[in-house]
C-alpha cells in the first residue's frame, strides 16, 4: 500500500507498523493486483485520500484460493498445541502494537480513538480465547443403541473458508472469524471492506510475524466484491462462507452459496430495542443507553436503534439522555478528546439525515442535534428524538449513526410487542430492577442476544448471532465459534 505523501507527520507515525504491507497478501507474499488498479482509502474525518490499496481481480481471487488450498493440508496436520501457540502469539503482538493499530483504525474508519482502542482489545481477545479452544477440540465415543457397534464422531476442519467483513469494526470482525477458523485447522481468504482495508493488511503482517504459515491467511481487497466473491464460491475447494454485513447483501450471498451447497455463517443487520421500565435505575439506564447507542458513534449492528421508555420514567430519561448526547465532543477520530467521530461516508450521513427528516415529518420532536454538520468530514451530530411514531422509517430500518429515537410505552405487553415488531432479531436491551420481569421479558423477545441491565453484550466467550433476518450461526462462545468451521464425521466401528 502507498501512503499519501501529504498526510501530517503525526498521522504518518501511525503507519510505522502498517507500512510493512505492500499489496494483496497471497501465499505469504505482497503483490499488486494483476491489472495494476488500486482503491483509494479516504479519511472520513477530513475527506483526504490517505492510501491506495490493490484492487483485486478474478485472477487474484483464484490465486488466493490456490494459496489457501496448497496450505490446507499442512495447517490441518499442524498439532493443536502448535496452532494454539501461534494464535496466542497473535494475541500478544496485538497487545504490543495496540496503540499503532488503534490509531490506524481511527484514521481510516473515523471512529474515536477511545473506541478504536477498545476494538483492538476486543479483537485481540478472539485470539486468546481461540488459542485455548484449539487444544480442546474433541470427538465423541459411544455404544449404538442396538449394541451392534461403537459410534465414533470425529470433528474435522471444514476446509478453505471465504471470510467477508464490514468497515465498522475492521479489526474485530476479522479476528472473530480468522481466529476460530485457524483454531479449527482451516485456511482462509479474507475480503475486508474497501473503505477500511489498512487494518486488515496490517494484521496480516502481524499474523506472519506470529508464525502463521504462508497461505493459511490470505487478504485481498476489491472494488467488485460481487463478481470476485461469486468466483471464489464457485471454486469447489471453497467449503465455507462467513459474512458480516447487511441483510440485503447476506441474502444475495446465501443465494450464491446455495448454487454450490456451501456452508454459511451470516451475521446480518439489527434493529435493537432498548427497553427501560419505570422501576429501572435511571442513571444506570442512561449509562447503558450511551454505550448501546454511541459505541462507534452508533455504527454497530448491535446499536440501540429503538428506545422504548415506560411512561413513568420517560420524561426524566429523555431529558437525561439529551443532556448527555448534546455534551459529546464531536471531532476528528484521531484526536484524543473526540467522543464521536464522523460517519464512514457521505452516503451514510445522507441516509441518517433522511431518516431524521422522515421522523420529524411524522411528528417526532428534536431534543438535540438533528442537522448535518457543515465543513469537511462526514459528520452528523449526536441526536435525540422524542415522540417518534411507530410508522417512522427509523423504527424499522437500521439508523447506523448517532441518533436515538425515543418512544413511550405503558405496560410490559406493549413493550414486548413493540420490540418484536421487526424482521430483525440480533440484539436487545432491558433495564429493570425486577430480575423476574427482566428474565420474563428476555425470554419473550425474539433476539439472539439480550443485555439485561447492561449496555454492552459482546464477549469472545459468548455466542454472538441473531435470529429471523439477522443471520445464521454463531461466532464466539464455548465451542460455538470453532464449531462453525468444523464438520462431524461419523465412523461406525465393530470392536
Amino acid at each position: 500500500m502507498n501512503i499519501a505523501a501529504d498526510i501530517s507527520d503525526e498521522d504518518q507515525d501511525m503507519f510505522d507498523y502498517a507500512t510493512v504491507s505492500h499489496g494483496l497478501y497471497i501465499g505469504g507474499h505482497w503483490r499488486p493486483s494483476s491489472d495494476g488498479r488500486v482503491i483509494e482509502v479516504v479519511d472520513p474525518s477530513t475527506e483526504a485520500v490517505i492510501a491506495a490499496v490493490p484492487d483485486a481481480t478474478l485472477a487474484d481471487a483464484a490465486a488466493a484460493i490456490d494459496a489457501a488450498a496448497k496450505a490446507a493440508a499442512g495447517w490441518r496436520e499442524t498439532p493443536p498445541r502448535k496452532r494454539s501457540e501461534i494464535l496466542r502469539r497473535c494475541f500478544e503482538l496485538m497487545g504490543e502494537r495496540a496503540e499503532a493499530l488503534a490509531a490506524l483504525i481511527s484514521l481510516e474508519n473515523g471512529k474515536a480513538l477511545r473506541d478504536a482502542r477498545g476494538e483492538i482489545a476486543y479483537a485481540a481477545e478472539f485470539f486468546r480465547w481461540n488459542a485455548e479452544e484449539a487444544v480442546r477440540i474433541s470427538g465423541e465415543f459411544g455404544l449404538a443403541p442396538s449394541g451392534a457397534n461403537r459410534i465414533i464422531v470425529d470433528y474435522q476442519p471444514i476446509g478453505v473458508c471465504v471470510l467477508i467483513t464490514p468497515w465498522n469494526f475492521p479489526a474485530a470482525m476479522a479476528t472473530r472469524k480468522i481466529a476460530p477458523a485457524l483454531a479449527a485447522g482451516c485456511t482462509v481468504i479474507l475480503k475486508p471492506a474497501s473503505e477500511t482495508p489498512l487494518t486488515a493488511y496490517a494484521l496480516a503482517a502481524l499474523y506472519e510475524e506470529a508464525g502463521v504459515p504462508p497461505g493459511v491467511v490470505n487478504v485481498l481487497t476489491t472494488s467488485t466484491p460481487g463478481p470476485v466473491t461469486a468466483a471464489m464460491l464457485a471454486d469447489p475447494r471453497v467449503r465455507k462462507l462467513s459474512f458480516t454485513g447487511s441483510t440485503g447483501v447476506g441474502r444475495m450471498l446465501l443465494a450464491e452459496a446455495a448454487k454450490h451447497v456451501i456452508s454459511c455463517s451470516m451475521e446480518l443487520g439489527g434493529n435493537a430495542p432498548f427497553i427501560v421500565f419505570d422501576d429501572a435505575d435511571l442513571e444506570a439506564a442512561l449509562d447503558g443507553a450511551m454505550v448501546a447507542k454511541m459505541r462507534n458513534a452508533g455504527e454497530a449492528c448491535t446499536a440501540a436503534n429503538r428506545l422504548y421508555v415506560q411512561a413513568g420514567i420517560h420524561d426524566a430519561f429523555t431529558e437525561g439522555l439529551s443532556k448527555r448526547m448534546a455534551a459529546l465532543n464531536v471531532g476528528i477520530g484521531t484526536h484524543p478528546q473526540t467522543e464521536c467521530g464522523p460517519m464512514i461516508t457521505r452516503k451514510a450521513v445522507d441516509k441518517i439525515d433522511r431518516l431524521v427528516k422522515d421522523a420529524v415529518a411524522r411528528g417526532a420532536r428534536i431534543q438535540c442535534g438533528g442537522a448535518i454538520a457543515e465543513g469537511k468530514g462526514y459528520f452528523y451530530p449526536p441526536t435525540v428524538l422524542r415522540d417518534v411514531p411507530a410508522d417512522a422509517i427509523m423504527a424499522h430500518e437500521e439508523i447506523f449513526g448517532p441518533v436515538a429515537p425515543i418512544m413511550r410505552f405503558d405496560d410490559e405487553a406493549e413493550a414486548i410487542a413493540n420490540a418484536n415488531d421487526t424482521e430483525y432479531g440480533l440484539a436487545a436491551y432491558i433495564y429493570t430492577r425486577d430480575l423476574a420481569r427482566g428474565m420474563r421479558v428476555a425470554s419473550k423477545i425474539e433476539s439472539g442476544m439480550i443485555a439485561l441491565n447492561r449496555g454492552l453484550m459482546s464477549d469472545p466467550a459468548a455466542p454472538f448471532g441473531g435470529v429471523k433476518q439477522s443471520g445464521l450461526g454463531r461466532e464466539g462462545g464455548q465451542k460455538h465459534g470453532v464449531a462453525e468451521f468444523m464438520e462431524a464425521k461419523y465412523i461406525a466401528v465393530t470392536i
Side-chain angles (χ1 to χ4, degrees):
M1 67 184 67
N2 300 311
I3 305 304
D6 60 349
I7 79 171
S8 69
D9 291 340
E10 179 182 357
D11 285 345
Q12 184 68 54
D13 291 340
M14 301 174 188
F15 287 99
D16 285 346
Y17 178 60
T19 51
V20 297
S21 54
H22 305 291
L24 303 174
Y25 186 65
I26 298 175
H29 300 289
W30 301 97
R31 51 188 278 181
S33 64
S34 59
D35 64 4
R37 292 186 305 164
V38 297
I39 302 169
E40 292 184 337
V41 183
V42 175
D43 174 3
S45 291
T46 64
E47 301 183 47
V49 175
I50 56 172
V53 297
D55 189 355
T57 64
L58 297 182
D60 297 321
I65 295 174
D66 287 342
K70 182 178 179 181
W75 185 245
R76 176 191 181 116
E77 298 303 320
T78 298
R81 177 61 66 193
K82 178 64 174 177
R83 294 203 300 263
S84 173
E85 290 168 351
I86 291 173
L87 293 176
R88 176 73 189 198
R89 185 56 182 152
C90 289
F91 163 75
E92 292 168 350
L93 287 176
M94 287 190 71
E96 293 171 12
R97 314 282 165 73
E99 197 61 24
L101 290 168
L104 183 60
I105 289 175
S106 268
L107 194 60
E108 68 171 342
N109 171 277
K111 70 172 62 180
L113 196 54
R114 67 175 189 177
D115 284 342
R117 290 179 178 130
E119 180 184 346
I120 289 299
Y122 175 55
E125 280 296 325
F126 284 104
F127 281 114
R128 176 156 65 172
W129 176 262
N130 285 285
E132 296 161 349
E133 288 298 303
V135 294
R136 291 176 173 81
I137 299 170
S138 59
E140 303 166 22
F141 180 82
L143 179 66
S146 67
N149 63 280
R150 298 287 179 173
I151 294 173
I152 297 175
V153 181
D154 185 26
Y155 290 94
Q156 301 180 338
I158 196 168
V160 176
C161 307
V162 172
L163 314 177
I164 302 176
T165 54
W167 49 262
N168 57 337
F169 290 92
M173 297 302 95
T175 62
R176 194 161 74 184
K177 298 178 188 298
I178 291 171
L182 267 55
C186 298
T187 58
V188 306
I189 301 104
L190 173 69
K191 190 210 77 62
S194 58
E195 293 89 349
T196 56
L198 306 182
T199 302
Y201 284 123
L203 288 174
L206 183 148
Y207 307 150
E208 181 178 316
E209 185 178 347
V212 175
V216 172
V217 175
N218 305 275
V219 183
L220 56 84
T221 42
T222 180
S223 63
T224 56
V228 167
T229 301
M232 289 193 289
L233 296 181
D235 191 306
R237 294 171 293 179
V238 171
R239 299 309 311 144
K240 178 73 180 184
L241 168 65
S242 181
F243 169 75
T244 297
S246 71
T247 296
V249 174
R251 288 170 180 149
M252 290 188 286
L253 288 173
L254 282 168
E256 194 65 38
K259 297 177 183 177
H260 313 288
V261 196
I262 290 175
S263 170
C264 292
S265 296
M266 294 276 155
E267 196 267 281
L268 307 177
N271 187 11
F274 188 98
I275 302 171
V276 183
F277 286 98
D278 283 342
D279 65 352
D281 180 321
L282 177 60
E283 291 305 311
L286 289 170
D287 290 344
M290 290 300 294
V291 174
K293 177 70 265 182
M294 292 305 295
R295 181 184 179 215
N296 200 34
E299 293 179 311
C301 56
T302 55
N305 207 63
R306 301 167 290 150
L307 285 73
Y308 295 110
V309 185
Q310 199 163 15
I313 200 173
H314 175 275
D315 290 349
F317 180 89
T318 300
E319 180 181 355
L321 186 63
S322 299
K323 287 181 178 179
R324 294 190 185 206
M325 292 280 278
L328 288 174
N329 187 6
V330 179
I332 291 174
T334 54
H335 288 184
Q337 68 272 25
T338 293
E339 296 172 299
C340 178
M343 303 297 97
I344 189 66
T345 60
R346 177 61 60 190
K347 181 180 178 181
V349 174
D350 292 340
K351 174 192 173 181
I352 295 168
D353 188 54
R354 171 178 61 82
L355 294 177
V356 169
K357 287 178 177 177
D358 169 79
V360 171
R362 296 173 190 268
R365 291 186 287 163
I366 296 174
Q367 296 295 108
C368 65
I372 296 177
E374 297 181 358
K376 284 286 187 181
Y378 309 132
F379 293 96
Y380 197 91
T383 298
V384 175
L385 301 174
R386 67 179 296 166
D387 303 328
V388 178
D391 64 350
I393 297 175
M394 67 170 57
H396 305 278
E397 186 175 317
E398 273 190 294
I399 300 169
F400 239 64
V403 177
I406 298 177
M407 293 159 266
R408 187 191 306 259
F409 73 90
D410 292 317
D411 57 39
E412 184 178 307
E414 183 184 359
I416 294 170
N418 288 339
N420 290 336
D421 185 21
T422 175
E423 67 176 353
Y424 300 104
L426 183 62
Y429 304 84
I430 304 167
Y431 272 82
T432 176
R433 282 192 175 99
D434 184 341
L435 180 58
R437 165 186 272 169
M439 295 301 293
R440 182 172 63 248
V441 173
S443 70
K444 294 179 180 179
I445 290 180
E446 298 164 350
S447 179
M449 300 178 290
I450 307 284
L452 180 54
N453 293 323
R454 287 182 54 81
L456 182 65
M457 63 186 61
S458 301
D459 192 308
F464 188 105
V467 299
K468 301 197 292 190
Q469 295 295 305
S470 287
L472 302 169
R474 294 294 183 269
E475 295 182 311
Q478 187 175 15
K479 298 184 179 180
H480 294 87
V482 173
E484 293 286 340
F485 294 96
M486 306 201 79
E487 288 189 310
K489 176 177 283 186
Y490 160 53
I491 305 171
V493 181
T494 298
I495 297 178

